[in-house]
Amino acid sequence: MSSSDSSAPRGEEIIAPIRVRRAPAGDPPSAGRKPRRVGVGAALVLLAALAAGGLWWIGHLSRHPVATPAAAPPAGAPVPLASPPPEAPAAAPAPRSASSPPMDAAASAGPGAPPEAGPSATALRERLASAERRAAAGELSAARSDFQEALRLDPQSPEARDGLEQVKARLRTEEFRRWMAEGFRALDAGDPDQAKARFIKAKALRPEAPEVAEALAQAEGRLRTARIEAVRARALAAEQREEWAAALAAYDEALALEPALRFAQQGRERTAAMVTLERRIAFFATQPARLDSDAQLAKAVDLLQEIQAAPPESPRLRAAAQDLAALVKAAQTPVRVTIESDRLTEISVYRVGRLGRFAARDLSLRPGTYTVVGSRDGYRDERLDLVVRPGAEPVRVSIYCKVKVDDFVKNS
């Protein structure tokens, strides 16, 4: 064996011993020469095969060295984990021509190989981890943004979709609690309008929540009470100013909010009587000429008697009643009226009667408007409107017929 075979593995033989059978004595030399040549050739072929096998084995060991067994650890010592065998270097991929179709990562890795994590998968994992971390820390708005970004990276990701829904639910819960808390703070501060607005926002998030319905009922009750108190104050202020129509409208508003309000019922009854009395007095006070009518004068007298029997609490209405009494007294006081004529004309006064023929006649007429008519046979009638004003000085008028009928016809 040559020196180049010294690298063969220890304990293994490369060349096996060859037995050479000798020919028995007495055989002729020419007869054993041919078999000997054949045996030598076979031995050379065998040696060549063995040498080739040794070279192959040496190359194999150089590529895959055999790990020497580690010494046994002492008793009680932890057994170290065996490290995985080193991977063989991946063969370089064969170059592709420009016309060959592209292969995806799974196909290029070969059958059975796990897909490698690309940049988008890494970004997805990082975004999901950040979202979970922020959600656990209570940073819900930031967690929602992370989950939304994860869904953008992978719209089919169940982790991102479920996480986003959970964060949104938590955000809605927090917003609901915030609106409720602000509503109750507004109630405590005496601002039911603001409280109602906050509770309505909470109801939009949880329409069926019983606590929202209860809170809204409280706010509505506070609002109704506040409105009633405001209306009551307005009504009392109007009564103090003796603005009876405004006070009556305020009490009606209070009864519309709560029909059983005792103060509103009593106030309405009181102010309604004042409004009616005020209107009755104003009917005559604003147009005194109405007292010229005997019927209207009688109504005014009846009204004054009612006021005298039950004087109103309102100083202003009592003063108005006194003014009306003065008007009635003036309407009842006659005024001296003198009518002059020619003793030939028949004089009549509407609302008084026929006075006949005379040169002058004195009448006592109550203030008002009267029509004086003079008539005479063969003459055109004369008509005069006489206005008698209350408290006026004596009045003197003259009337007689002076235009003949024939002259009147000719002139017409």
Side-chain angles (χ1 to χ4, degrees):
M1 184 178 303
S2 63
S3 61
S4 62
D5 297 333
S6 61
S7 61
R10 189 180 303 174
E12 297 185 8
E13 292 183 355
I14 303 303
I15 302 175
I18 301 174
R19 291 183 180 180
V20 180
R21 188 177 61 179
R22 295 182 179 181
D27 289 342
S30 60
R33 188 176 299 172
K34 185 176 180 179
R36 183 177 298 175
R37 292 178 180 174
V38 174
V40 173
L44 293 175
V45 173
L46 180 58
L47 286 174
L50 290 175
L55 293 175
W56 175 86
W57 184 252
I58 291 172
H60 174 74
L61 291 180
S62 65
R63 292 191 302 271
H64 304 281
V66 179
T68 57
V79 180
L81 297 175
S83 59
E87 297 181 357
R96 281 191 301 113
S97 63
S99 60
S100 59
M103 296 187 297
D104 56 8
S108 62
E116 295 184 359
S120 60
T122 302
L124 175 63
R125 287 197 300 271
E126 292 177 353
R127 191 63 65 179
L128 288 174
S130 174
E132 294 290 346
R133 183 170 60 254
R134 287 176 169 178
E139 302 173 3
L140 299 181
S141 296
R144 178 178 59 187
S145 299
D146 283 342
F147 279 124
Q148 289 173 344
E149 178 62 19
L151 273 179
R152 188 188 68 81
L153 293 171
D154 184 5
Q156 304 301 325
S157 172
E159 295 84 356
R161 184 171 55 253
D162 295 343
L164 180 60
E165 291 300 324
Q166 293 176 6
V167 167
K168 285 183 177 179
R170 290 178 60 184
L171 282 171
R172 287 194 297 268
T173 299
E174 287 194 356
E175 187 178 4
F176 173 81
R177 292 173 179 172
R178 178 169 61 85
W179 289 128
M180 292 293 290
E182 290 185 6
F184 283 115
R185 281 197 296 270
L187 274 184
D188 295 338
D191 191 353
D193 284 314
Q194 190 73 8
K196 181 180 178 181
R198 295 296 184 267
F199 291 143
I200 288 176
K201 289 182 179 294
K203 184 178 181 180
L205 296 171
R206 291 187 180 179
E208 304 300 330
E211 58 268 29
V212 175
E214 182 179 353
L216 279 173
Q218 292 184 24
E220 289 289 351
R222 297 279 186 90
L223 277 174
R224 186 167 55 254
T225 300
R227 289 171 183 166
I228 289 174
E229 290 301 323
V231 171
R232 180 176 185 175
R234 191 166 71 248
L236 292 176
E239 283 196 72
Q240 291 176 357
R241 296 190 301 269
E242 298 188 54
E243 297 175 358
W244 306 112
L248 177 61
Y251 285 125
D252 285 338
E253 184 178 349
L255 289 172
L257 293 172
E258 184 60 54
L261 291 174
R262 185 64 178 168
F263 82 89
Q265 294 173 348
Q266 294 176 348
R268 190 188 189 287
E269 181 179 357
R270 180 175 61 253
T271 55
M274 293 296 183
V275 168
T276 301
L277 179 59
E278 185 177 41
R279 290 175 178 172
R280 292 177 68 187
I281 293 175
F283 177 80
F284 299 105
T286 56
Q287 298 186 31
R290 288 172 176 170
L291 297 174
D292 296 347
S293 168
D294 293 339
Q296 296 297 336
L297 180 60
K299 290 181 179 179
V301 171
D302 292 341
L303 175 59
L304 289 175
Q305 291 175 351
E306 292 178 14
I307 294 174
Q308 188 176 5
E313 298 179 359
S314 168
R316 187 168 64 82
L317 287 182
R318 288 198 299 268
Q322 292 175 1
D323 293 341
L324 176 60
L327 291 175
V328 170
K329 183 178 180 180
Q332 291 175 333
T333 302
V335 176
R336 180 181 174 182
V337 176
T338 300
I339 302 176
E340 297 177 346
S341 185
D342 59 358
R343 298 178 184 272
L344 300 175
T345 301
E346 186 77 20
I347 305 299
S348 298
V349 179
Y350 290 173
R351 296 173 55 191
V352 175
R354 295 177 63 89
L355 301 180
R357 299 182 181 93
F358 52 83
R361 184 168 182 176
D362 294 335
L363 299 175
S364 293
L365 299 180
R366 191 171 61 80
T369 301
Y370 298 86
T371 301
V372 181
V373 178
S375 60
R376 181 182 175 183
D377 292 340
Y379 288 81
R380 189 190 66 179
D381 290 348
E382 299 291 335
R383 184 180 298 269
L384 174 67
D385 290 334
L386 175 61
V387 179
V388 180
R389 304 201 178 273
E393 296 294 329
V395 179
R396 180 181 292 271
V397 295
S398 61
I399 182 171
Y400 54 89
C401 297
K402 52 184 178 295
V403 178
K404 293 183 177 181
V405 176
D406 295 340
D407 295 340
F408 176 76
V409 172
K410 292 179 182 179
N411 292 332
S412 61

